[in-house]
Amino acid sequence: MKLSKKLNHSIWLKFLVFIPLFILLFIVMTLYQPICELGGKLFEPVSLKTFLDTWTPPEMYTFLPYLFVLLFVPFSGIFYAFNRKISVVQVISFYLVVIGTWLVAYIIYIVFPKTASEVMITSYDEYAAYYLIHEGAFQTLQDLYGASTPLGDFPSLHVAPLMLMGVFLHKYWKTLFWIFLPLAFIGATGTYLLKFHTVIGFLGGVALGYFGYYVLYQKVVHTYLNKFFIEKESL
């Protein structure tokens, strides 16, 4: 199947392909908890905690941006649909690569399980108001800890998709990139400052995001799909 240049940049076709890709990504994301728990059962999880994790105080002011930016990547296809410069093939490639980065992380979680439990905030200090805003915020954080597993520390799947999307936007949509950048930065660092990940887990997410774009996207997925879908222009 070949796509004409007009069809490859069709807003409606981008919306059409976004729906199944979003569903597929959502299904893959729901496997996070069981995959991490499987790794914890097969191998003894170890901690990557360093002195940087000990010295860095938790910061609750990143809480809301942290939650908000998690929606950016799954729903980004809606924004891409309105940009005439971003093609259908690029949207498909982007989502498949995001899914690919999750699958790479899942393999690591199974064979190389790492826990962030040693850096998580487990006690409330009413005198440390400069970072734990109030006891209610602390309890909300405990609820979030309880809803997730600490076994997916390295690489951070909070950080990797944001890094991947940031590089993608820098290449294809500079305006949205500059809007996305500060929010993604706060959200990504929030995953470390809220102690969901160690600093090594955070950096692992950065590395995975770069790997996703510069290897999976540029070298594999987008290159192959271009050859498969795009008509060669006649001389």
Side-chain angles (χ1 to χ4, degrees), residues 1-3 8 89 225-232:
M1 175 184 175
K2 298 295 183 180
L3 296 175
N8 191 30
V89 173
L225 290 183
N226 255 337
K227 292 179 179 178
F228 185 81
F229 283 113
I230 303 304
E231 293 180 342
K232 291 184 178 180

Side-chain angles (χ1 to χ4, degrees), residues 29 105 126 213 233:
M29 291 170 66
E126 63 179 325
Y213 182 81
E233 296 183 4

Side-chain angles (χ1 to χ4, degrees), residues 193-211:
L193 294 175
L194 292 170
K195 305 304 180 180
F196 283 96
H197 294 280
T198 62
V199 67
I200 295 177
F202 172 88
L203 294 175
V206 173
L208 181 58
Y210 272 103
F211 170 80

Side-chain angles (χ1 to χ4, degrees), residues 90-175:
Q90 287 167 345
V91 172
I92 297 173
S93 300
F94 174 83
Y95 272 89
L96 291 181
V97 169
V98 172
I99 292 168
T101 59
W102 277 74
L103 296 179
V104 169
Y106 284 168
I107 294 172
I108 297 173
Y109 293 164
I110 291 174
V111 302
F112 191 58
K114 292 293 174 282
T115 178
S117 58
E118 290 188 9
V119 301
M120 289 180 166
I121 310 163
T122 57
S123 61
Y124 175 71
D125 183 354
E126 63 179 325
Y127 299 105
Y130 65 93
Y131 62 82
L132 291 177
I133 303 172
H134 51 71
E135 192 169 3
F138 168 79
Q139 188 55 54
T140 299
L141 189 57
Q142 300 310 297
D143 294 339
L144 280 177
Y145 286 162
S148 185
T149 173
L151 296 177
D153 175 39
F154 178 90
S156 169
L157 275 176
H158 293 101
V159 176
L162 293 175
M163 181 60 60
L164 171 59
M165 182 174 169
V167 179
F168 180 87
L169 290 176
H170 186 265
K171 173 72 174 179
Y172 296 110
W173 196 353
K174 290 289 179 61
T175 301

